[in-house]
Amino acid sequence: MDFLRPASWEEALAVKAEHPTAVPIAGGTDVMVEINFDHRRPEYLMDLNRIGELSEWQVGQDSVRLGASVPYSAIMEHLRAELPGLALASHTVASPQIRNRGGVGGNLGTASPAGDAHPALLAAGAEVEAASVRGTRMIPIDAFYTGVKRNALAPDELIRAVHIKKADGPQQYSKVGTRNAMVIAVCAFGLALHPETRTVRTGIGSAAPTPVRAKEAEDFLNAALEEGGFWESGKIITPSVAKQFAQLAAGACNPIDDVRGTAAYRRHAVGIMARRTLGWTWEQYRGAGRTLEGAA
Ligand SMILES: Cc1cc2nc3c(=O)[nH]c(=O)nc-3n(C[C@H](O)[C@H](O)[C@H](O)COP(=O)(O)OP(=O)(O)OC[C@H]3O[C@@H](n4cnc5c(N)ncnc54)[C@H](O)[C@@H]3O)c2cc1C
């Protein structure tokens, strides 16, 4: 196995163009597990750790440009206000050691349906900045996951950064696992309120072949909130609306039975998490200076 160590982003793109089968390694928390277990024996391993810009982020007017290798611990420490959903999801990843090494670029590279960043990225609304010697393109997060552990990157492309909309309202992340740390999600749910556009976005993890949004549930809730004047009044969401939202979210799942849980359990749990995250975020929204006139 050849170990390639590009010193700059341009060099990394050139190396990937020359060796499209080269496997990039960032934190190595997925790659090294695969190599150690002999699940993968790449001809070329391309270390990205000499490229400092991949571990940097910029906070812009509307969005955060998060370098592909920014570790989860930095997101938790420095970007909690801008990216609360992703910060909460980062908290649930593995252990402090893994959170200091692993990052969102690697989570996207692996594209496991159980990856914790995905529901938060789907709910917040993100775009993946993918680049090659041919140029740069922005891939909407909804189009990024193409199958079980498959993504939309071309063989010569690398992830340079992820652009994530700054939170304009409360966001939550919920994960079911067999314990509180070092656990792969049995299933997970991310929800973001976007008061500026009066919309709600969601993300489901580990309950379908790819991370997915619960689009029907979003459409139903967006219409119910608009028709009922909920955004202006901040009144409590009626239990029947929350229940219908939860049922539609559960319906968006296409889970399997596996060692971590049954398909039926996952569907049920996603419904519960959808209702709870809606309740938590809505309470935060109501508490953030809403006019409570007409609150039920
Ligand atoms: C003990 C343990 C516990 C874990 N627990 C969790 C957990 O709770 N939740 C969770 O989501 N994950 C978990 N993981 C998996 C892993 O930590 C995450 O997926 C992490 O985000 C991977 O990031 P990394 O930088 O280490 O990626 P790497 O291992 O370096 O790379 C992962 C994949 O992404 C590709 N890649 C990396 N950077 C780029 C780039 N810039 N462009 C294109 N492709 C790239 C690599 O080629 C590889 O295919 C766990 C892993 C371990 C070992």
Side-chain angles (χ1 to χ4, degrees), residues 208-221:
T210 65
V212 287
R213 277 169 66 196
K215 285 214 181 108
E216 257 189 75
E218 291 176 13
D219 291 345
F220 161 77
L221 186 60

Side-chain angles (χ1 to χ4, degrees), residues 23-31 33 40 48 68 72 92-94 98 101-103 105-107 109-110 114-116 153 158-159 175 182-183:
V23 172
I25 176 165
T29 60
D30 277 324
V31 170
V33 173
R40 199 173 200 182
L48 299 177
Y72 293 113
T92 76
V93 173
I98 300 287
R101 292 292 309 166
N107 218 229
T110 300
D116 282 305
L153 290 180
L158 292 171
I159 300 168
K175 171 174 173 178
M182 288 297 270
V183 69

Side-chain angles (χ1 to χ4, degrees), residues 61-262:
Q61 179 88 358
D62 301 316
S63 65
V64 174
R65 181 177 183 275
L66 186 73
S69 302
V70 174
Y72 293 113
S73 52
I75 298 169
M76 288 156 56
E77 193 175 345
H78 302 290
L79 293 167
R80 181 178 294 274
E82 294 84 359
L83 309 175
L86 187 61
L88 284 169
S90 301
H91 259 285
T92 76
V93 173
S95 63
Q97 294 87 344
I98 300 287
R99 293 195 288 268
N100 280 336
R101 292 292 309 166
V104 172
N107 218 229
L108 288 166
T110 300
S112 159
D116 282 305
H118 312 312
L121 296 178
L122 285 164
E127 284 183 317
V128 180
E129 184 182 331
S132 70
V133 289
R134 297 174 289 117
T136 297
R137 65 181 176 129
M138 302 296 280
I139 308 174
I141 194 70
D142 292 55
F144 187 78
Y145 310 106
T146 55
V148 181
K149 295 197 173 184
R150 298 181 76 85
N151 62 42
L153 290 180
D156 64 344
E157 280 182 319
L158 292 171
I159 300 168
R160 189 172 200 175
V162 186
H163 298 244
I164 309 158
K165 285 190 189 124
K166 277 163 71 175
D168 60 322
Q171 303 184 350
Q172 278 290 346
Y173 183 74
S174 182
K175 171 174 173 178
V176 174
T178 45
R179 54 187 181 183
N180 274 341
M182 288 297 270
V183 69
I184 300 176
V186 174
C187 51
F189 196 85
L191 186 143
L193 299 185
H194 298 287
E196 277 177 20
T197 49
R198 294 184 173 195
T199 51
V200 176
R201 281 179 66 115
T202 60
I204 299 174
S206 217
T210 65
V212 287
R213 277 169 66 196
K215 285 214 181 108
E216 257 189 75
E218 291 176 13
D219 291 345
F220 161 77
L221 186 60
N222 289 336
L225 295 181
E226 199 57 53
E227 280 159 24
F230 286 85
W231 290 106
E232 298 87 6
S233 69
K235 64 187 173 185
I236 290 170
I237 291 178
T238 39
S240 61
V241 169
K243 189 174 170 197
Q244 178 76 4
F245 173 67
Q247 278 170 356
L248 289 168
C253 301
N254 181 16
I256 52 165
D257 293 327
D258 68 10
V259 286
R260 281 180 282 132
T262 62

